[in-house]
Amino acid sequence: MTTRVVRVWKGYGTAEGADRYCREHFSTMVLPQLQALSGFLDANVLVRSVNDVTEVVVATVWESIDAVRAFAGDEYERAVVEPIVGDLLERFDDEVTHFTLAVAARPVTARTGPFE
């Protein structure tokens, strides 16, 4: 099995700012750039509201830590955040967290099994 890496970043703001981050920034600007990179596999953006703060979690999946380094550079544990994000979210993490993907599951079909 190939070792895949999940890169996780978090930002915090208002519900409106988080929505704009997802629709206007991530979906239209960030995602197309990621999709053009060798080694990029998947992205998920998670949003939840707790009290008056909306948390945004971006989890990207990569073929390897080398693919992450090709995207983020030598200081790959630093977040890659464009200046516009400061206008959309009130604060965000300067560091990211990397995980090794241990299990990835999809619905069972006639052609595949339950796990990859």
Side-chain angles (χ1 to χ4, degrees):
M1 180 177 172
T2 304
T3 301
R4 294 185 174 159
V5 176
V6 180
R7 180 180 171 91
V8 178
W9 172 85
K10 295 180 182 179
Y12 310 86
T14 64
E16 179 186 347
D19 183 60
R20 288 186 60 210
Y21 172 84
C22 293
R23 283 185 303 102
E24 297 174 18
H25 181 65
F26 190 86
S27 295
T28 63
M29 298 177 71
V30 176
L31 189 56
Q33 292 175 14
L34 292 175
Q35 290 171 324
L37 297 174
S38 177
F40 170 77
L41 298 174
D42 193 22
N44 293 281
V45 180
L46 313 172
V47 177
R48 72 177 185 144
S49 292
V50 178
N51 300 321
D52 291 335
V53 176
T54 299
E55 180 179 10
V56 177
V57 178
V58 177
T60 54
V61 183
W62 301 84
E63 286 182 352
S64 66
I65 200 68
D66 289 335
V68 171
R69 282 189 176 116
F71 159 67
D74 289 335
E75 294 185 37
Y76 66 94
E77 292 182 340
R78 301 280 304 159
V80 176
V81 182
E82 296 179 25
I84 185 103
V85 175
D87 295 335
L88 302 173
L89 300 174
E90 294 171 356
R91 64 185 172 90
F92 49 84
D93 294 348
D94 292 326
E95 302 286 325
V96 298
T97 306
H98 294 97
F99 296 88
T100 298
L101 182 61
V103 176
R106 293 191 168 58
V108 177
T109 66
R111 294 178 293 179
T112 65
F115 303 104
E116 288 187 23

